[in-house]
Coordinates of all heavy atoms in Angstrom, one line a residue:
M134 N 89.8 107.4 80.9 CA 89.9 108.8 80.4 C 90.4 109.7 81.4 O 90.0 109.7 82.6 CB 88.7 109.2 79.7 CG 88.8 110.5 78.9 SD 87.4 110.8 77.9 CE 87.5 109.4 76.7
K135 N 91.4 110.6 81.1 CA 91.9 111.6 82.0 C 90.8 112.6 82.3 O 90.0 113.0 81.5 CB 93.1 112.3 81.4 CG 94.3 111.5 81.3 CD 95.5 112.3 80.7 CE 95.2 112.8 79.3 NZ 96.3 113.5 78.7
N136 N 90.8 113.0 83.6 CA 89.9 114.1 83.9 C 90.6 115.4 84.0 O 91.2 115.9 84.9 CB 89.3 113.8 85.3 CG 88.1 114.7 85.6 OD1 87.6 115.4 84.7 ND2 87.6 114.7 86.8
K137 N 90.6 116.1 82.8 CA 91.3 117.4 82.7 C 90.5 118.4 83.4 O 89.3 118.3 83.6 CB 91.3 117.8 81.2 CG 92.3 117.1 80.4 CD 92.4 117.8 79.0 CE 93.1 117.0 78.0 NZ 93.0 117.6 76.7
A138 N 91.2 119.5 83.8 CA 90.5 120.6 84.4 C 90.9 121.9 83.7 O 92.1 122.0 83.2 CB 90.8 120.7 85.9
C139 N 90.0 122.9 83.6 CA 90.3 124.2 83.0 C 91.2 124.9 83.9 O 91.0 125.0 85.1 CB 89.0 124.9 82.8 SG 89.3 126.6 82.3
G140 N 92.3 125.5 83.4 CA 93.3 126.2 84.2 C 92.8 127.5 84.6 O 93.3 128.1 85.6
V141 N 91.7 128.1 84.0 CA 91.2 129.4 84.4 C 90.1 129.3 85.5 O 90.2 129.9 86.5 CB 90.6 130.1 83.1 CG1 90.0 131.4 83.5 CG2 91.7 130.3 82.1
C142 N 89.1 128.4 85.3 CA 88.0 128.3 86.2 C 88.0 127.0 87.0 O 87.2 126.9 88.0 CB 86.7 128.6 85.5 SG 86.2 127.2 84.5
G143 N 88.8 126.1 86.7 CA 88.9 124.8 87.4 C 87.8 123.8 87.0 O 87.6 122.8 87.7
Y144 N 87.0 124.2 86.0 CA 85.9 123.3 85.6 C 86.5 122.0 85.1 O 87.6 122.0 84.4 CB 85.2 124.0 84.4 CG 83.8 123.5 84.2 CD1 82.7 123.9 85.0 CD2 83.5 122.7 83.1 CE1 81.4 123.5 84.7 CE2 82.2 122.3 82.8 CZ 81.2 122.7 83.6 OH 79.9 122.3 83.3
T145 N 85.9 120.8 85.3 CA 86.5 119.6 84.9 C 85.8 119.0 83.7 O 84.7 119.3 83.4 CB 86.5 118.5 86.0 OG1 85.1 118.3 86.4 CG2 87.3 119.0 87.2
L146 N 86.6 118.1 83.0 CA 86.1 117.5 81.8 C 84.9 116.6 82.1 O 83.9 116.5 81.4 CB 87.2 116.6 81.2 CG 87.0 116.1 79.8 CD1 86.6 117.1 78.8 CD2 88.2 115.3 79.3
S147 N 84.9 115.9 83.3 CA 83.8 115.0 83.6 C 82.5 115.8 83.8 O 81.4 115.4 83.5 CB 84.2 114.2 84.9 OG 84.3 115.0 86.0
K148 N 82.7 117.0 84.3 CA 81.6 118.0 84.5 C 81.0 118.4 83.1 O 79.8 118.4 83.0 CB 82.0 119.2 85.2 CG 80.9 120.0 85.9 CD 80.6 119.5 87.2 CE 79.4 120.3 87.8 NZ 78.8 119.6 88.9
F149 N 81.9 118.5 82.2 CA 81.4 118.8 80.8 C 80.6 117.7 80.3 O 79.5 117.9 79.7 CB 82.6 119.1 79.9 CG 82.2 119.1 78.5 CD1 81.4 120.1 77.9 CD2 82.7 118.1 77.7 CE1 81.1 120.1 76.6 CE2 82.4 118.0 76.3 CZ 81.5 119.0 75.8
Y150 N 81.1 116.5 80.5 CA 80.4 115.3 80.0 C 79.0 115.2 80.7 O 78.0 114.7 80.1 CB 81.2 114.0 80.2 CG 82.3 113.9 79.2 CD1 83.6 113.6 79.6 CD2 82.1 114.1 77.8 CE1 84.7 113.4 78.7 CE2 83.2 113.9 76.9 CZ 84.4 113.6 77.4 OH 85.5 113.5 76.5
E151 N 79.0 115.5 81.9 CA 77.8 115.4 82.7 C 76.7 116.4 82.3 O 75.6 116.1 82.1 CB 78.2 115.7 84.2 CG 77.3 115.1 85.3 CD 77.9 115.4 86.6 OE1 79.0 114.8 87.0 OE2 77.4 116.2 87.3
T152 N 77.2 117.7 82.1 CA 76.2 118.8 81.8 C 76.2 119.2 80.4 O 75.2 119.8 79.9 CB 76.6 120.0 82.6 OG1 77.9 120.5 82.2 CG2 76.7 119.7 84.1
G153 N 77.2 118.9 79.6 CA 77.3 119.4 78.2 C 77.6 120.8 78.2 O 77.5 121.5 77.1
M154 N 77.9 121.4 79.3 CA 78.2 122.9 79.3 C 79.6 123.2 79.8 O 80.3 122.3 80.4 CB 77.2 123.6 80.2 CG 75.8 123.7 79.6 SD 74.6 124.0 80.8 CE 75.0 125.6 81.4
L155 N 80.1 124.4 79.6 CA 81.4 124.8 79.9 C 81.4 125.8 81.1 O 80.4 126.5 81.2 CB 82.2 125.3 78.7 CG 82.4 124.3 77.6 CD1 83.0 125.0 76.4 CD2 83.4 123.2 78.1
G156 N 82.4 125.9 81.8 CA 82.5 126.8 83.0 C 82.8 128.2 82.6 O 82.3 129.2 83.1
C157 N 83.7 128.4 81.6 CA 84.1 129.7 81.2 C 84.6 129.7 79.8 O 84.9 128.6 79.2 CB 85.2 130.3 82.1 SG 86.8 129.6 81.8
P158 N 84.9 130.8 79.1 CA 85.3 130.8 77.7 C 86.6 130.0 77.5 O 86.8 129.3 76.5 CB 85.6 132.2 77.4 CG 84.6 133.0 78.3 CD 84.6 132.2 79.6
A159 N 87.5 130.0 78.4 CA 88.8 129.3 78.3 C 88.6 127.8 78.3 O 89.5 127.0 77.9 CB 89.8 129.7 79.4
C160 N 87.5 127.3 78.9 CA 87.3 125.8 78.9 C 87.3 125.2 77.5 O 87.7 124.1 77.3 CB 85.9 125.5 79.5 SG 85.8 125.8 81.3
Y161 N 86.8 126.0 76.6 CA 86.8 125.5 75.2 C 88.1 125.1 74.7 O 88.4 124.0 74.2 CB 86.1 126.4 74.2 CG 86.1 125.9 72.8 CD1 85.2 124.9 72.4 CD2 87.2 126.2 71.9 CE1 85.3 124.3 71.2 CE2 87.2 125.6 70.7 CZ 86.3 124.7 70.3 OH 86.3 124.1 69.1
A162 N 89.1 125.9 75.0 CA 90.5 125.7 74.6 C 91.1 124.5 75.4 O 91.7 123.6 74.8 CB 91.3 126.9 74.7
A163 N 90.7 124.4 76.6 CA 91.3 123.4 77.5 C 90.8 122.0 77.1 O 91.5 121.0 77.1 CB 90.9 123.7 78.9
F164 N 89.5 122.0 76.7 CA 88.8 120.7 76.4 C 88.6 120.5 74.9 O 87.8 119.6 74.5 CB 87.5 120.5 77.1 CG 87.6 120.8 78.6 CD1 86.6 121.4 79.3 CD2 88.7 120.4 79.3 CE1 86.6 121.7 80.6 CE2 88.8 120.6 80.7 CZ 87.8 121.3 81.4
K165 N 89.3 121.2 74.1 CA 89.0 121.3 72.6 C 88.8 119.9 72.0 O 87.8 119.6 71.3 CB 90.1 122.1 72.0 CG 89.8 122.4 70.5 CD 90.9 123.3 70.0 CE 91.2 123.0 68.6 NZ 92.4 123.7 68.1
A166 N 89.8 119.0 72.2 CA 89.8 117.7 71.6 C 88.6 116.9 72.0 O 88.0 116.3 71.1 CB 91.1 117.0 71.9
E167 N 88.4 116.9 73.3 CA 87.2 116.1 73.8 C 85.9 116.7 73.4 O 85.0 115.9 73.1 CB 87.3 116.1 75.4 CG 88.4 115.3 75.9 CD 89.8 116.1 75.9 OE1 89.8 117.3 75.6 OE2 90.8 115.5 76.3
I168 N 85.8 118.0 73.3 CA 84.5 118.6 72.9 C 84.3 118.3 71.4 O 83.2 117.8 71.0 CB 84.6 120.2 73.0 CG1 84.6 120.5 74.5 CG2 83.4 120.8 72.3 CD1 84.9 122.0 74.8
T169 N 85.3 118.4 70.6 CA 85.2 118.0 69.2 C 84.7 116.6 69.0 O 83.8 116.3 68.3 CB 86.5 118.3 68.5 OG1 87.0 119.6 68.8 CG2 86.3 118.1 67.0
A170 N 85.4 115.7 69.8 CA 85.0 114.3 69.7 C 83.6 114.0 70.2 O 82.9 113.3 69.5 CB 86.0 113.5 70.6
S171 N 83.2 114.7 71.2 CA 81.8 114.4 71.7 C 80.8 115.0 70.8 O 79.7 114.5 70.7 CB 81.7 114.9 73.2 OG 81.2 116.3 73.2
L172 N 81.1 116.1 70.1 CA 80.2 116.7 69.1 C 80.0 115.7 68.0 O 78.9 115.5 67.5 CB 80.7 118.0 68.6 CG 80.5 119.2 69.6 CD1 81.2 120.4 69.0 CD2 79.1 119.5 69.9
K173 N 81.1 115.1 67.6 CA 81.0 114.0 66.5 C 80.1 112.9 67.0 O 79.3 112.4 66.2 CB 82.4 113.6 66.1 CG 83.0 114.5 65.2 CD 84.5 114.1 64.9 CE 85.2 115.2 64.1 NZ 86.6 115.1 64.2
N174 N 80.3 112.5 68.2 CA 79.5 111.4 68.8 C 78.0 111.7 68.8 O 77.2 110.9 68.4 CB 79.9 111.0 70.2 CG 81.2 110.3 70.3 OD1 81.7 109.8 69.2 ND2 81.9 110.4 71.4
I175 N 77.7 112.9 69.2 CA 76.3 113.4 69.3 C 75.7 113.4 67.9 O 74.6 112.9 67.8 CB 76.2 114.8 69.9 CG1 76.6 114.8 71.4 CG2 74.8 115.4 69.8 CD1 76.9 116.1 72.1
Q176 N 76.4 113.8 67.0 CA 75.9 113.9 65.6 C 75.7 112.5 65.0 O 74.7 112.3 64.3 CB 76.9 114.7 64.7 CG 76.2 115.2 63.5 CD 77.2 115.8 62.5 OE1 78.4 115.6 62.6 NE2 76.7 116.5 61.6
G177 N 76.5 111.5 65.4 CA 76.3 110.2 65.0 C 76.4 110.0 63.5 O 77.2 110.6 62.8
G178 N 75.4 109.2 62.9 CA 75.5 109.0 61.5 C 74.8 110.1 60.6 O 74.9 110.1 59.4
N179 N 74.3 111.0 61.3 CA 73.5 112.1 60.6 C 74.5 113.2 60.1 O 74.4 114.4 60.6 CB 72.5 112.7 61.6 CG 71.7 113.8 61.0 OD1 71.5 113.8 59.8 ND2 71.1 114.7 61.8
T180 N 75.4 112.9 59.2 CA 76.4 113.8 58.8 C 75.8 114.7 57.7 O 75.0 114.3 56.9 CB 77.7 113.1 58.2 OG1 77.2 111.9 57.5 CG2 78.6 112.7 59.4
R181 N 76.3 115.9 57.7 CA 75.9 116.9 56.7 C 76.6 116.7 55.4 O 77.7 116.0 55.4 CB 76.1 118.3 57.2 CG 75.1 118.7 58.3 CD 75.5 120.1 58.8 NE 74.5 120.5 59.7 CZ 73.5 121.4 59.4 NH1 73.5 121.9 58.2 NH2 72.7 121.7 60.3
H182 N 76.1 117.3 54.3 CA 76.8 117.0 53.1 C 78.2 117.6 53.0 O 79.0 117.1 52.2 CB 75.9 117.7 51.9 CG 75.8 119.2 52.0 ND1 74.9 119.7 52.9 CD2 76.5 120.2 51.5 CE1 75.0 121.0 52.8 NE2 75.9 121.4 51.9
R183 N 78.5 118.5 53.9 CA 79.9 119.1 53.9 C 80.8 118.1 54.6 O 82.0 118.3 54.5 CB 79.9 120.4 54.7 CG 79.4 121.6 53.8 CD 78.8 122.7 54.6 NE 79.9 123.4 55.3 CZ 79.8 123.9 56.5 NH1 78.7 123.7 57.2 NH2 80.8 124.5 57.1
G184 N 80.3 117.1 55.3 CA 81.1 116.1 55.9 C 81.9 116.6 57.1 O 82.9 116.1 57.4
R185 N 81.5 117.7 57.6 CA 82.2 118.3 58.8 C 81.3 118.4 60.0 O 80.1 118.0 59.9 CB 82.8 119.6 58.4 CG 83.9 119.6 57.4 CD 84.6 120.8 57.3 NE 83.8 121.9 56.8 CZ 84.2 123.1 56.3 NH1 85.5 123.3 56.4 NH2 83.5 124.0 55.8
V186 N 81.9 118.9 61.1 CA 81.1 119.1 62.3 C 79.9 120.2 61.9 O 80.2 121.0 61.1 CB 82.0 119.7 63.4 CG1 81.2 119.8 64.7 CG2 83.1 118.7 63.6
P187 N 78.8 120.0 62.5 CA 77.6 120.9 62.1 C 77.8 122.4 62.1 O 78.6 122.9 62.8 CB 76.5 120.5 63.0 CG 77.0 119.4 63.9 CD 78.4 119.1 63.6
C188 N 77.1 123.0 61.2 CA 77.1 124.5 61.1 C 76.9 125.2 62.4 O 77.6 126.2 62.6 CB 75.9 124.9 60.2 SG 76.4 125.1 58.5
V189 N 76.0 124.7 63.2 CA 75.7 125.3 64.4 C 77.0 125.5 65.2 O 77.2 126.6 65.8 CB 74.7 124.5 65.3 CG1 74.5 125.0 66.7 CG2 73.4 124.3 64.5
T190 N 77.8 124.5 65.2 CA 79.0 124.5 66.0 C 80.0 125.6 65.4 O 80.6 126.3 66.1 CB 79.7 123.1 66.0 OG1 78.7 122.2 66.3 CG2 80.8 123.1 67.0
D191 N 80.0 125.7 64.1 CA 80.9 126.7 63.4 C 80.5 128.1 63.9 O 81.3 128.9 64.3 CB 80.7 126.6 61.9 CG 81.3 125.4 61.3 OD1 82.0 124.6 62.0 OD2 81.2 125.2 60.1
K192 N 79.2 128.3 63.9 CA 78.7 129.6 64.4 C 79.0 129.9 65.8 O 79.3 131.0 66.2 CB 77.1 129.6 64.2 CG 76.7 129.9 62.8 CD 75.1 130.0 62.8 CE 74.6 130.0 61.4 NZ 73.2 129.6 61.4
E193 N 78.8 128.8 66.6 CA 79.1 129.0 68.0 C 80.6 129.3 68.2 O 80.9 130.2 69.0 CB 78.8 127.7 68.8 CG 77.4 127.5 69.2 CD 77.1 126.2 69.8 OE1 78.0 125.4 70.0 OE2 75.9 126.0 70.0
I194 N 81.4 128.6 67.5 CA 82.9 128.9 67.6 C 83.2 130.3 67.2 O 83.9 131.0 67.8 CB 83.7 127.8 66.8 CG1 83.6 126.5 67.5 CG2 85.2 128.2 66.8 CD1 84.2 125.4 66.7
L195 N 82.6 130.7 66.1 CA 82.8 132.0 65.5 C 82.4 133.1 66.5 O 83.1 134.1 66.8 CB 82.1 132.2 64.2 CG 82.5 133.4 63.4 CD1 84.0 133.4 63.1 CD2 81.7 133.5 62.1
A196 N 81.2 132.9 67.1 CA 80.6 133.8 68.1 C 81.5 133.9 69.3 O 81.8 135.0 69.8 CB 79.2 133.4 68.5
R197 N 82.0 132.7 69.7 CA 82.9 132.7 70.9 C 84.2 133.4 70.6 O 84.8 134.1 71.5 CB 83.1 131.2 71.3 CG 83.6 131.0 72.7 CD 83.6 129.6 73.1 NE 82.2 129.1 73.3 CZ 81.7 129.0 74.5 NH1 82.3 129.3 75.6 NH2 80.4 128.5 74.6
Y198 N 84.7 133.2 69.4 CA 86.0 133.8 69.0 C 85.9 135.3 69.1 O 86.7 136.0 69.6 CB 86.3 133.3 67.6 CG 87.5 134.0 66.9 CD1 88.8 133.8 67.4 CD2 87.2 134.9 65.9 CE1 89.8 134.5 66.8 CE2 88.3 135.6 65.3 CZ 89.6 135.4 65.8 OH 90.6 136.1 65.2
K199 N 84.8 135.8 68.5 CA 84.6 137.3 68.5 C 84.4 137.8 69.9 O 84.9 138.9 70.3 CB 83.3 137.6 67.7 CG 83.6 137.5 66.2 CD 82.3 137.8 65.4 CE 82.6 137.7 63.9 NZ 81.3 137.7 63.2
E200 N 83.7 137.1 70.7 CA 83.5 137.4 72.1 C 84.8 137.5 72.9 O 85.1 138.5 73.6 CB 82.5 136.4 72.7 CG 82.0 136.7 74.1 CD 81.2 135.5 74.6 OE1 80.4 134.9 73.9 OE2 81.4 135.1 75.7
L201 N 85.6 136.4 72.7 CA 86.9 136.4 73.4 C 87.8 137.5 73.0 O 88.6 138.0 73.7 CB 87.5 135.0 73.3 CG 87.0 133.9 74.0 CD1 87.8 132.6 73.9 CD2 86.8 134.2 75.5
L202 N 87.7 137.7 71.7 CA 88.6 138.8 71.1 C 88.3 140.1 71.7 O 89.2 140.9 72.1 CB 88.4 138.8 69.6 CG 89.5 139.4 68.7 CD1 90.8 138.6 68.9 CD2 89.1 139.4 67.2
S203 N 87.0 140.4 71.8 CA 86.7 141.7 72.4 C 87.0 141.8 73.9 O 87.4 142.8 74.4 CB 85.2 142.1 72.1 OG 84.3 141.3 72.8
E204 N 86.8 140.6 74.5 CA 87.2 140.6 76.0 C 88.7 140.8 76.1 O 89.1 141.4 77.1 CB 86.8 139.2 76.5 CG 85.4 139.1 77.0 CD 85.1 137.7 77.6 OE1 86.0 137.1 78.2 OE2 83.9 137.3 77.5
M205 N 89.5 140.2 75.2 CA 90.9 140.3 75.3 C 91.3 141.8 75.1 O 92.2 142.3 75.9 CB 91.5 139.4 74.2 CG 93.0 139.4 74.3 SD 93.8 138.4 73.0 CE 93.7 139.6 71.6
R206 N 90.7 142.4 74.1 CA 91.0 143.8 73.9 C 90.6 144.7 75.1 O 91.4 145.6 75.5 CB 90.3 144.3 72.6 CG 91.1 143.8 71.4 CD 90.5 144.1 70.1 NE 91.2 143.5 69.0 CZ 90.7 143.2 67.9 NH1 89.4 143.4 67.6 NH2 91.5 142.6 66.9
A207 N 89.5 144.4 75.7 CA 89.1 145.1 76.9 C 90.0 144.9 78.0 O 90.4 145.9 78.7 CB 87.7 144.7 77.3
A208 N 90.5 143.7 78.2 CA 91.4 143.4 79.2 C 92.8 144.1 79.0 O 93.4 144.6 79.9 CB 91.7 141.9 79.3
E209 N 93.2 144.2 77.7 CA 94.4 144.9 77.4 C 94.3 146.4 77.7 O 95.2 147.0 78.3 CB 94.8 144.7 75.9 CG 95.4 143.4 75.6 CD 95.5 143.1 74.1 OE1 95.0 143.9 73.3 OE2 96.2 142.1 73.8
K210 N 93.2 147.0 77.3 CA 92.9 148.4 77.6 C 92.9 148.7 79.0 O 93.4 149.7 79.5 CB 91.6 148.8 76.9 CG 91.7 149.2 75.5 CD 90.4 149.8 75.0 CE 90.4 150.1 73.5 NZ 89.1 150.5 73.0
G211 N 92.3 147.7 79.8 CA 92.1 147.9 81.2 C 93.4 147.6 82.0 O 93.4 147.7 83.2
G212 N 94.4 147.2 81.3 CA 95.7 146.8 82.0 C 95.7 145.5 82.7 O 96.5 145.2 83.5
R213 N 94.6 144.7 82.4 CA 94.6 143.4 83.1 C 95.3 142.4 82.2 O 94.8 141.6 81.4 CB 93.1 143.0 83.2 CG 92.4 143.8 84.3 CD 90.9 143.5 84.3 NE 90.2 144.2 83.2 CZ 89.3 143.7 82.4 NH1 88.9 142.4 82.6 NH2 88.7 144.3 81.5
L214 N 96.6 142.5 82.3 CA 97.5 141.8 81.3 C 97.5 140.3 81.5 O 97.5 139.6 80.5 CB 98.9 142.3 81.4 CG 99.1 143.8 81.0 CD1 100.5 144.2 81.1 CD2 98.5 144.0 79.6
S215 N 97.4 139.7 82.7 CA 97.4 138.3 82.8 C 96.1 137.7 82.3 O 96.1 136.7 81.6 CB 97.6 137.9 84.3 OG 96.5 138.2 85.1
E216 N 95.0 138.5 82.5 CA 93.7 138.0 81.9 C 93.8 138.1 80.4 O 93.3 137.2 79.7 CB 92.6 139.0 82.4 CG 91.2 138.4 82.2 CD 90.1 139.4 82.6 OE1 90.4 140.1 83.6 OE2 89.1 139.4 82.0
A217 N 94.4 139.2 79.8 CA 94.5 139.3 78.4 C 95.4 138.1 77.8 O 95.1 137.6 76.8 CB 95.2 140.6 78.1
A218 N 96.4 137.8 78.6 CA 97.3 136.7 78.1 C 96.5 135.4 78.1 O 96.6 134.6 77.1 CB 98.5 136.6 79.0
E219 N 95.8 135.1 79.1 CA 94.9 133.9 79.2 C 94.0 133.8 78.0 O 93.8 132.8 77.3 CB 94.1 133.8 80.4 CG 94.9 133.8 81.8 CD 94.9 132.4 82.3 OE1 94.7 131.5 81.5 OE2 95.2 132.3 83.5
L220 N 93.3 135.0 77.8 CA 92.3 135.1 76.7 C 93.0 134.9 75.3 O 92.4 134.3 74.4 CB 91.6 136.4 76.7 CG 90.6 136.5 77.9 CD1 90.2 138.0 78.1 CD2 89.3 135.7 77.6
S221 N 94.2 135.4 75.2 CA 94.9 135.3 73.9 C 95.2 133.9 73.5 O 95.2 133.5 72.3 CB 96.1 136.2 73.8 OG 97.2 135.6 74.4
V222 N 95.4 133.1 74.5 CA 95.7 131.6 74.3 C 94.4 131.0 73.7 O 94.4 130.3 72.7 CB 96.1 130.9 75.6 CG1 96.2 129.4 75.3 CG2 97.4 131.4 76.1
A223 N 93.3 131.3 74.4 CA 92.0 130.7 73.9 C 91.6 131.3 72.5 O 91.2 130.6 71.7 CB 90.9 131.1 74.9
V224 N 91.9 132.6 72.3 CA 91.6 133.2 71.0 C 92.4 132.6 69.9 O 91.9 132.2 68.8 CB 91.9 134.8 71.1 CG1 92.0 135.3 69.7 CG2 90.8 135.5 71.9
S225 N 93.7 132.3 70.2 CA 94.5 131.7 69.1 C 94.1 130.3 68.8 O 94.1 129.8 67.7 CB 96.0 131.9 69.4 OG 96.3 131.1 70.4
E226 N 93.7 129.6 69.9 CA 93.2 128.2 69.7 C 91.9 128.2 68.8 O 91.8 127.4 67.9 CB 92.8 127.6 71.0 CG 94.0 127.3 71.9 CD 94.2 125.8 72.0 OE1 93.6 125.0 71.2 OE2 95.0 125.4 72.9
L227 N 91.0 129.1 69.1 CA 89.8 129.2 68.3 C 90.1 129.6 66.9 O 89.5 129.1 66.0 CB 88.8 130.3 69.0 CG 88.2 129.8 70.3 CD1 87.4 130.9 70.9 CD2 87.3 128.6 70.0
K228 N 91.1 130.6 66.7 CA 91.4 131.0 65.4 C 91.9 129.8 64.6 O 91.5 129.7 63.4 CB 92.5 132.1 65.5 CG 92.7 132.9 64.3 CD 93.6 134.0 64.6 CE 93.7 135.0 63.4 NZ 94.5 136.2 63.7
T229 N 92.7 129.0 65.2 CA 93.2 127.8 64.5 C 92.1 126.9 64.0 O 92.0 126.4 62.9 CB 94.2 127.0 65.4 OG1 95.2 127.9 65.8 CG2 94.8 125.8 64.7
E230 N 91.2 126.7 65.0 CA 90.0 125.9 64.7 C 89.2 126.4 63.5 O 88.8 125.7 62.6 CB 89.1 125.7 66.0 CG 87.9 124.9 65.8 CD 88.2 123.4 65.6 OE1 89.3 123.0 65.9 OE2 87.3 122.7 65.1
L231 N 89.0 127.8 63.6 CA 88.2 128.4 62.5 C 88.9 128.3 61.1 O 88.3 128.1 60.1 CB 88.0 129.9 62.8 CG 87.0 130.1 64.0 CD1 87.1 131.6 64.5 CD2 85.6 129.8 63.6
K232 N 90.2 128.4 61.2 CA 91.0 128.2 60.0 C 90.9 126.8 59.4 O 90.7 126.6 58.3 CB 92.5 128.5 60.2 CG 92.8 130.0 60.2 CD 94.3 130.2 60.4 CE 94.6 131.7 60.6 NZ 96.0 131.9 61.0
N233 N 91.0 125.8 60.4 CA 90.9 124.4 60.0 C 89.5 124.1 59.3 O 89.5 123.3 58.4 CB 91.0 123.5 61.2 CG 92.4 123.5 61.7 OD1 93.4 123.8 61.0 ND2 92.6 123.0 63.0
R234 N 88.5 124.8 59.8 CA 87.2 124.6 59.2 C 87.0 125.5 58.0 O 85.9 125.5 57.4 CB 86.1 125.0 60.3 CG 86.1 124.0 61.4 CD 85.3 124.5 62.5 NE 85.3 123.6 63.6 CZ 84.2 123.0 64.1 NH1 83.0 123.4 63.7 NH2 84.2 122.2 65.1
G235 N 87.9 126.3 57.6 CA 87.8 127.2 56.4 C 86.8 128.3 56.6 O 86.3 128.9 55.7
I236 N 86.6 128.7 57.9 CA 85.6 129.8 58.2 C 86.3 131.1 58.0 O 85.8 132.1 57.5 CB 85.0 129.7 59.6 CG1 84.2 128.4 59.7 CG2 84.1 130.8 59.9 CD1 83.9 127.9 61.1
I237 N 87.6 131.2 58.5 CA 88.4 132.4 58.3 C 89.7 132.1 57.6 O 90.1 130.9 57.6 CB 88.7 133.2 59.6 CG1 89.4 132.3 60.6 CG2 87.4 133.7 60.2 CD1 90.0 133.0 61.8
L238 N 90.3 133.0 57.1 CA 91.6 132.8 56.4 C 92.8 133.0 57.3 O 92.7 133.8 58.2 CB 91.7 133.7 55.1 CG 90.7 133.4 54.1 CD1 90.8 134.4 53.0 CD2 90.8 132.0 53.5
Ligands
ZN371 ZN1 87.1 127.4 82.3

């Protein structure tokens, strides 16, 4: 398996597997596929009636999305444009994920 690294903080995928944690908000976007896969593994056969990734994760993603969105707006206001651009990538990734899950339209 490739050892990806987050372009923002340099956190690696192997570190994520080791700790189950992420280095920064942008890590989620960088490791999205692997995180989704590992969440499915963790859940195992204990699938919910909705047949999707657990609710907790939906909430986490939604919370992270809101957090990143407000960070992005703060960065824009503060003239930190490269930071805002980085955040907007992560925000749009999360938005797509939320749409896929039917959480937002
Ligand atoms: Zn990161």
Side-chain angles (χ1 to χ4, degrees):
M134 189 166 293
K135 286 185 293 181
N136 192 13
K137 285 190 192 173
C139 170
V141 177
C142 71
Y144 202 80
T145 58
L146 190 56
S147 66
K148 198 85 180 161
F149 164 69
Y150 285 131
E151 211 175 284
T152 63
M154 286 161 64
L155 295 171
C157 79
C160 290
Y161 178 79
F164 309 143
K165 192 175 144 189
E167 290 81 3
I168 291 168
T169 309
S171 90
L172 287 173
K173 278 175 188 158
N174 287 341
I175 290 162
Q176 200 187 14
N179 184 24
T180 39
R181 286 175 176 259
H182 62 278
R183 281 154 72 215
R185 292 192 294 192
V186 184
C188 265
V189 175
T190 313
D191 288 358
K192 280 183 195 162
E193 275 174 6
I194 291 174
L195 192 60
R197 201 170 285 263
Y198 170 72
K199 286 176 179 169
E200 191 185 311
L201 286 187
L202 202 61
S203 69
E204 276 181 31
M205 185 182 79
R206 284 177 183 153
E209 280 169 355
K210 273 187 185 171
R213 288 171 284 137
L214 297 181
S215 66
E216 194 183 328
E219 298 260 20
L220 286 164
S221 83
V222 173
V224 165
S225 69
E226 291 251 13
L227 288 173
K228 197 171 188 176
T229 304
E230 180 66 21
L231 289 166
K232 280 181 186 173
N233 288 343
R234 291 168 180 238
I236 298 165
I237 58 170
L238 295 175

